[in-house]
Amino acid sequence: MTDRHPLFAPLILVGGLLFGFGLAYSHMARPEVVLDFLQFEDFGLLFVMFVGAGVTGLAYLLAPRLSDRAPLTGDRFERRLKPFDRNVVVGGTIFGVGWGVSGVCPGAAYASLGVGNVTILWAIAGMFVGAYLQGRWRSGTSPAGAD
């Protein structure tokens, strides 16, 4: 295990607060805004996603050129490719249907809770139950020693 910089946890907290504030400020923490996007009535979410993807892409492009190791963790910058298999397609489909039916994305759900939407707890509970059931199913179907 690598030794982490003492500012690691506080900076993660600050990043999460900025992310949540940005979701709340842009009204993306409101499920009705997400549903309006999915019904092609409001394209503000598209702008928010493109800006987020652009910032992330820029960070992935520049960070390894500035240093070969992450400043707070000391871990090497490297790509970790995951296979595009049946599990990705099925999981993505289930996620997309859940998102489309509820208008709730996991990151925005916590921000929505932060702006006082307590009924979002039902969706958060559903996400936890779904993740738990998938984990139980996968642990029962995967061969011994597989991850």
Side-chain angles (χ1 to χ4, degrees):
M1 183 170 163
T2 61
D3 291 329
R4 298 206 166 160
H5 193 279
L7 292 177
F8 181 76
L11 285 175
I12 295 297
L13 178 65
V14 169
L17 288 171
L18 282 171
F19 180 73
F21 182 81
L23 285 174
Y25 186 76
S26 64
H27 299 285
M28 296 304 135
R30 295 177 33 213
E32 57 272 14
V33 171
V34 175
L35 290 172
D36 285 346
F37 165 72
L38 294 173
Q39 296 170 4
F40 304 108
E41 295 173 5
D42 180 0
F43 293 103
L45 179 58
L46 191 61
F47 175 75
V48 171
M49 290 191 308
F50 275 131
V51 170
V55 169
T56 301
L58 202 57
Y60 270 85
L61 179 71
L62 295 177
R65 293 178 182 189
L66 298 173
S67 174
D68 65 335
R69 296 201 175 273
L72 296 178
T73 63
D75 295 340
R76 289 187 51 76
F77 288 118
E78 56 191 6
R79 290 180 61 191
R80 190 181 80 160
L81 298 176
K82 300 286 282 180
F84 186 76
D85 58 9
R86 181 180 62 89
N87 290 336
V88 172
V89 173
V90 171
T93 302
I94 293 169
F95 175 84
V97 168
W99 188 40
V101 167
S102 67
V104 177
C105 186
Y110 296 108
S112 184
L113 187 61
V115 295
N117 183 0
V118 293
T119 57
I120 205 78
L121 286 171
W122 288 105
I124 293 172
M127 288 186 278
F128 277 101
V129 169
Y132 173 78
L133 292 174
Q134 189 278 338
R136 293 282 300 200
W137 174 79
R138 184 163 180 172
S139 67
T141 60
S142 61
D147 58 350

